[in-house]
Amino acid sequence: EVELVESGGGLVKPGRSLRLSCTASGFTLGDYLMSWFRQAPGKGLEWVGFIRSKGYGETTEYAASVKGRFTISRDDSKTIAYLEMDSLTTEDTAVYFCAREGYRSGWYSAYWGQGTLVAVSS
Amino acid sequence: DIVMTQSPDSLAVSLGERATINCKARHSVLYTSNNKNYLAWYQQKPGQPPKLLIYWASTRESGVPDRFSGSGSGTDFTLTISSLQAEDVAVYYCHQYYTVPWTFGQGTKVEIK
């Protein structure tokens, strides 16, 4: 059974960094595209970025709002995907979700974690 | 960016009646080489992550009740709930994964009349 569990969220001051983890089980992490999304309080869904599968070179793409500040990576041996967030601002306050594509090269996000809350405030 | 616009923003439907949500993309999300529309629909209930209902515009995810259906191609898409049940109260989002940045519609809130 596919399971994704996010961790690492919390309260952080503006300008600081935070690293979120997405622990995966039930599948081989490197075989799938893994995405991060976020949802600000009371708002809609926003794509943050993704890391492609090994078959696609494990390259990454990011939303313009986070490009240059956020980095997605993964450690297949630990079955964990990461979202490293630097230079955080209050605009980054949101619940962050990781997700896996439905099948190899399917692209759409079928499996989602429960999310972890990141609050950026002084 | 491909802007996704849903209509209406909210709707109230009687139990057992049909609910229809529309989604319009500013640019086509049909990939002509494989004839697939890179369009998904999600349902989200308060405090929960999004749940995939439909992908490739019209393919129902395993385990999703058949009262949910998706249609459309190119730039215009529809999610239909054929007979609304109490458990269908939620916010629904369309989502294009045709090109980055991936984008979502603003969401449509479905309630019981």
Side-chain angles (χ1 to χ4, degrees), chain B residues 2-79:
Chain B
I2 298 182
V3 176
M4 308 296 287
T5 303
Q6 292 180 227
S7 61
D9 289 333
S10 64
L11 76 161
V13 177
S14 300
L15 288 173
E17 296 301 305
R18 178 184 300 260
T20 301
I21 301 169
N22 299 301
C23 175
K24 189 172 185 67
R26 186 175 288 180
H27 181 277
S28 174
V29 299
L30 172 64
Y31 194 36
T32 53
S33 65
N34 60 10
N35 200 37
K36 286 185 174 180
N37 287 282
Y38 285 58
L39 189 285
W41 288 96
Y42 292 91
Q43 174 194 67
Q44 189 178 32
K45 297 179 180 179
Q48 296 185 19
K51 174 187 176 183
L52 177 68
L53 298 175
I54 303 287
Y55 56 96
W56 303 132
S58 60
T59 302
R60 194 181 306 114
E61 172 70 336
S62 175
V64 173
D66 60 8
R67 63 180 180 273
F68 291 94
S69 64
S71 62
S73 184
T75 60
D76 293 281
F77 301 91
T78 300
L79 175 70

Side-chain angles (χ1 to χ4, degrees), chain A residues 3-81:
Chain A
E3 187 175 16
L4 301 170
V5 178
E6 301 91 341
S7 60
L11 177 62
V12 62
K13 295 186 186 313
R16 297 290 184 92
S17 299
L18 200 63
R19 186 177 77 167
L20 305 183
S21 299
C22 172
T23 303
S25 59
F27 65 99
T28 301
L29 186 64
D31 287 347
Y32 294 89
L33 178 146
M34 296 295 296
S35 303
W36 287 90
F37 299 88
R38 67 185 181 183
Q39 187 168 37
K43 301 297 184 182
L45 296 166
E46 180 186 13
W47 171 72
V48 172
F50 61 62
I51 183 167
R52 295 181 176 88
S53 65
K54 282 184 179 177
Y56 284 86
E58 296 191 301
T59 52
T60 53
E61 302 285 351
Y62 299 95
S65 58
V66 307
K67 195 169 185 178
R69 300 188 300 122
F70 288 14
T71 303
I72 298 173
S73 62
R74 65 176 170 218
D75 185 333
D76 292 342
S77 65
K78 295 182 179 177
T79 69
I80 300 176

